Amino acid sequence: MAQARRSRAHMIEETRAKLITTARSAFAEHGFANTSMDDFTAAVGLTRGALHHHFGNKEGLLIAVIEQIETEVNEHLRQVSAAAPNRWEGFRQRCRTYLQLALEPEIRRIILQDARAVFGDVPAAAQSLGVAELQAALDQLLADGVIAALPTPVMARMIYGAVTEASCWIAEPDADLNERLHQALDALERLLDGLRVTGEHP
Amino acid sequence: MAQARRSRAHMIEETRAKLITTARSAFAEHGFANTSMDDFTAAVGLTRGALHHHFGNKEGLLIAVIEQIETEVNEHLRQVSAAAPNRWEGFRQRCRTYLQLALEPEIRRIILQDARAVFGDVPAAAQSLGVAELQAALDQLLADGVIAALPTPVMARMIYGAVTEASCWIAEPDADLNERLHQALDALERLLDGLRVTGEHP
DNA sequence: CCATTGACATACGGCGCGCATGCTATTGGC
DNA sequence: GCCAATAGCATGCGCGCCGTATGTCAATGG
């Protein structure tokens, strides 16, 4: 039958991708714990057997979903950072973009809520890449003399915490999103600006 | 039989308290999801019937546990804050103490991990009290002219996020806790100090 | 002293997951 | 071009866990 479409490997990749993207929206909508693997796999036209084969178990699927999201987020952040005119602006825009990306329900629910629940420490399990790049940016700024001395590993984590928490605050039900977004960006500005060497506020 | 001990109401309070404290350690040790209510209630010498009667369901028990922890934490923070010589020091010590309290496995696991998983937004559901007091402290500092203008609601949440995230970082496995604690407190110092009005660093 | 309330146990039902097993089709060596 | 081998996926079993309806017994108060 002319191999259906392509080689077998392609079909498999398609299946995996379909499973991941479907899981991604299912997790985002109902949450990880409230998503039945029976129902979910049925929605893709498969059964739990396929799930078990490709990802081992439910957690394995979650990991795959997280990795996909992480990859996209980091790619986006890298672009934003690279497009900035200087390192400070790159760092600043990275933080601001992070905050806005975390407004996506998908990211808040899967990364900030469910992943944390299952693996305890999100940054250690998944978000490590984002935090690591944040730290790298801080290291650069430190070397450039833009910011005063500080332990960059913690500071990266603290900024990550501040930004994600702010996103959760913005997205609270019955809130004026735009108004809150502006306030959050303002507050972020104040936090980051406090890190720069004193007397240099161009 | 002289009414066993005291009035019936007392016995009931004892039962409730026993359930809560036992659940507290069980959740802290195995996590909320991994704690079987059959096993747990049996450990107290009861059955799930009692659990249902007093707390409705598993989530109700978690809420009770959270409330107890929150109360203790806030009381502790209030004392620390009140003991400080001035408002800035009170605020500063509150943040520092928060960071150290979050090192307690019980708090990290139940408040920062499980509660978030079940209720989504922790601060909105439980930690609101702590964040609210943080915001109140910021409002005071703002009125006193100690810190420059900023939207205190978000800033309180961001500080909360930074502090809790730092605690998770400190408590990562195979880490030098003391070393990391010092670095975290250093970074926190830098973050908070950046909020003060420029030029006033006594 | 009795009716009522409330604290708790018991029991039933359902769901959701892990895992072992079985089927089928594709693949690669000869 | 055929045949074992492998891999993708389905099916079925068993268990644990939770919600809830119902039952029981003791305490309370009028």
Side-chain angles (χ1 to χ4, degrees):
Chain A
M1 212 76 46
Q3 308 181 39
R5 285 255 173 115
R6 192 86 177 176
S7 72
R8 193 182 204 196
H10 257 252
M11 297 292 291
I12 294 174
E13 267 315 301
E14 258 179 40
T15 303
R16 274 186 60 98
K18 191 87 184 291
L19 282 171
I20 292 180
T21 53
T22 306
R24 187 168 160 171
S25 49
F27 290 166
E29 188 173 1
H30 310 106
F32 177 72
N34 298 324
T35 300
S36 160
M37 298 315 273
D38 278 321
D39 299 351
F40 153 69
T41 50
V44 198
L46 299 170
T47 68
R48 281 191 2 252
L51 186 279
H52 177 259
H53 185 76
H54 285 290
F55 304 99
N57 56 20
K58 200 179 177 183
E59 281 192 11
L61 177 60
L62 178 58
I63 291 178
V65 169
I66 292 172
E67 280 173 355
Q68 188 184 74
I69 297 179
E70 291 296 325
T71 304
E72 291 178 16
V73 168
N74 284 318
E75 184 52 33
H76 190 150
L77 291 177
R78 197 187 298 266
Q79 285 180 15
V80 166
S81 179
N86 57 57
R87 291 212 174 107
W88 172 258
E89 274 305 309
F91 169 71
R92 184 173 159 269
Q93 290 302 332
R94 171 180 284 269
C95 294
R96 293 170 66 91
T97 306
Y98 219 132
L99 194 153
Q100 296 177 65
L101 283 179
L103 290 180
E104 213 69 39
E106 212 179 44
I107 294 184
R108 282 209 325 285
R109 177 81 210 206
I110 299 179
I111 303 293
L112 303 182
Q113 185 175 344
D114 291 336
R116 243 197 157 81
V118 176
F119 306 111
D121 221 348
V122 178
Q127 195 70 8
S128 58
L129 216 167
V131 176
E133 297 206 1
L134 213 55
Q135 183 191 339
L138 282 172
D139 284 332
Q140 279 284 359
L141 292 171
L142 199 58
D144 293 352
V146 179
I147 61 175
L150 52 81
T152 58
V154 221
M155 187 54 89
R157 282 289 289 263
M158 292 178 83
I159 293 172
Y160 171 76
V163 164
T164 53
E165 199 68 38
S167 293
C168 291
W169 175 78
I170 296 172
E172 274 178 4
D174 305 329
D176 182 339
L177 295 188
N178 271 329
E179 171 63 19
R180 288 199 167 194
L181 175 58
H182 284 129
Q183 289 187 20
L185 290 174
D186 268 12
L188 177 61
E189 213 71 31
R190 302 269 298 115
L191 269 185
L192 298 183
D193 210 59
L195 299 181
R196 308 177 75 172
V197 291
T198 44
E200 278 193 37
H201 293 174
Chain B
M1 214 76 48
Q3 308 179 37
R5 283 257 174 110
R6 192 86 174 176
S7 73
R8 193 185 202 195
H10 258 252
M11 297 292 289
I12 295 174
E13 267 316 302
E14 258 179 40
T15 303
R16 273 186 60 96
K18 190 86 185 290
L19 282 171
I20 292 179
T21 53
T22 307
R24 185 169 162 171
S25 49
F27 290 165
E29 188 173 1
H30 310 104
F32 177 72
N34 298 324
T35 299
S36 160
M37 298 315 272
D38 278 321
D39 299 352
F40 152 69
T41 50
V44 198
L46 299 170
T47 68
R48 285 197 353 260
L51 186 277
H52 175 259
H53 186 77
H54 286 292
F55 302 99
N57 55 20
K58 200 179 177 184
E59 282 192 12
L61 177 60
L62 178 59
I63 291 178
V65 169
I66 291 172
E67 280 174 353
Q68 187 183 74
I69 296 178
E70 291 296 325
T71 304
E72 291 178 17
V73 167
N74 283 318
E75 184 54 33
H76 190 149
L77 291 177
R78 196 187 299 266
Q79 286 179 15
V80 167
S81 178
N86 57 55
R87 291 213 174 106
W88 171 258
E89 274 305 310
F91 169 72
R92 185 173 159 269
Q93 290 302 330
R94 172 180 284 269
C95 295
R96 294 171 66 91
T97 307
Y98 218 133
L99 194 153
Q100 296 177 65
L101 282 179
L103 290 179
E104 213 70 40
E106 211 179 45
I107 294 184
R108 283 210 324 285
R109 177 81 212 208
I110 299 179
I111 303 293
L112 304 182
Q113 186 175 344
D114 291 337
R116 242 195 157 81
V118 176
F119 305 111
D121 220 350
V122 179
Q127 193 72 7
S128 58
L129 217 167
V131 176
E133 296 206 0
L134 213 56
Q135 182 191 339
L138 282 172
D139 284 332
Q140 278 285 357
L141 293 171
L142 199 57
D144 293 354
V146 179
I147 62 175
L150 52 81
T152 56
V154 221
M155 187 53 90
R157 282 289 288 267
M158 293 179 81
I159 293 173
Y160 171 76
V163 164
T164 53
E165 200 66 38
S167 293
C168 292
W169 175 78
I170 296 172
E172 273 177 5
D174 307 328
D176 183 339
L177 295 189
N178 271 328
E179 172 62 19
R180 289 200 166 193
L181 176 58
H182 283 129
Q183 288 186 19
L185 289 175
D186 268 13
L188 177 61
E189 212 73 31
R190 301 268 299 113
L191 223 47
L192 297 183
D193 210 58
L195 299 181
R196 308 176 75 174
V197 290
T198 44
E200 281 193 34
H201 292 173

